[in-house]
Amino acid sequence: MEALKQKIRDEGIVLSEQVLKVDAFLNHQIDPLLMQQIGHEFAERFRDQGITKIVTIEASGIAPAVMAGLELGIPVIFARKFQSLTLKNDLLISKVFSFTKQSESTIAISAKHLNSSDHVLVIDDFLANGHAAKALLDLIGQAGASVAGIGIVIEKSFQEGRDLLESEGYRVESLARVQSLQGGKVSFRD
Ligand code: 5GP
């Protein structure tokens, strides 16, 4: 998606060879027009798949997921992160290792929002090693729902997330694929 790649070139900050900061339009300040275009692009790629729900993770997945949900006319569920959890019996729970925080957290969604008749599109802001996506897929599996695919705003193709998810049979659609962050410069794969 060219508009997204241009935004990354213009406003992305390479923090290290592993980490790209996009606080100017996605992770802190949000560019609503770009999010609308992102939502449209996800909807185009996954339309006619019989998707009934979008599942994402708080906080940075919410903006692109809501825009895709608006385009597809379906609800958006965001998994919530808990430091510690008072167990409640209607929660689906999984663990996720955070790439940026380098710590594990617990995520949960209420079982009442997802069930075996749902066909789900997973959306997230970044794909690195695939831990966040795997945790969301775990929650969806616990609900007995099926998965149409995984929509990623920014994929870092030099990390293993895509290979991991594709090896398990999932369709991965990324709107920008970063090949490398070496030398403080973002280069794209295609
Ligand atoms: P994964 O779970 O695939 O290893 O990492 C994806 C998650 O970590 C995303 O939800 C995102 O919040 C965060 N993340 C991974 N890499 C980056 C990065 O380079 N920049 C930012 N801002 N977040 C990242």
Side-chain angles (χ1 to χ4, degrees):
M1 185 184 160
E2 192 46 47
L4 172 61
K5 289 200 271 188
Q6 195 54 48
K7 193 78 167 173
I8 295 169
R9 284 187 203 102
D10 291 345
E11 299 184 23
I13 296 170
V14 177
L15 283 188
S16 70
E17 291 191 351
Q18 305 282 312
V19 181
L20 175 66
K21 183 170 172 169
V22 289
D23 280 17
F25 60 92
L26 179 57
N27 290 144
H28 190 24
Q29 176 172 262
I30 292 173
D31 180 334
L33 192 58
L34 182 66
M35 289 307 125
Q36 191 179 41
Q37 292 168 339
I38 284 169
H40 180 77
E41 184 68 28
F42 280 136
E44 286 296 297
R45 295 188 190 203
F46 286 101
R47 220 183 283 284
D48 305 324
Q49 301 280 311
I51 296 168
T52 60
K53 297 267 168 84
I54 292 174
V55 169
T56 188
I57 182 167
E58 68 174 355
S60 296
I62 296 175
V66 166
M67 289 305 188
L70 188 64
E71 280 272 341
L72 291 168
I74 54 174
V76 176
I77 305 165
F78 63 95
R80 307 188 66 167
K81 294 175 185 163
F82 294 84
Q83 292 299 346
S84 67
L85 199 67
T86 313
L87 279 178
K88 296 196 184 112
N89 53 15
D90 71 339
L91 286 181
L92 309 171
I93 294 164
S94 192
K95 299 250 187 230
V96 60
F97 182 79
S98 165
F99 177 78
T100 43
K101 298 193 185 97
Q102 291 289 305
S103 64
E104 192 175 69
S105 61
T106 302
I107 63 166
I109 57 182
S110 169
K112 68 171 178 263
H113 298 307
L114 205 56
N115 62 53
S116 58
S117 63
D118 282 312
H119 194 47
V120 178
L121 171 60
V122 173
I123 285 184
D124 203 8
D125 59 339
F126 273 87
L127 177 62
N129 294 313
H131 294 128
K134 287 278 289 179
L136 293 175
L137 292 166
D138 181 31
L139 295 179
I140 295 161
Q142 288 178 42
S146 56
V147 175
I150 299 159
I152 298 291
V153 181
I154 304 173
E155 170 189 317
K156 290 181 295 176
S157 305
F158 54 88
Q159 292 173 299
E160 65 188 19
R162 172 183 280 270
D163 286 348
L164 181 82
L165 297 170
E166 285 185 337
S167 73
E168 295 185 11
Y170 295 105
R171 175 181 168 199
V172 179
E173 290 285 341
S174 305
L175 306 190
R177 301 182 73 190
V178 174
Q179 173 80 19
S180 152
L181 296 173
Q182 283 173 2
K185 192 173 164 299
V186 185
S187 50
F188 293 100
R189 191 186 162 94
D190 43 37

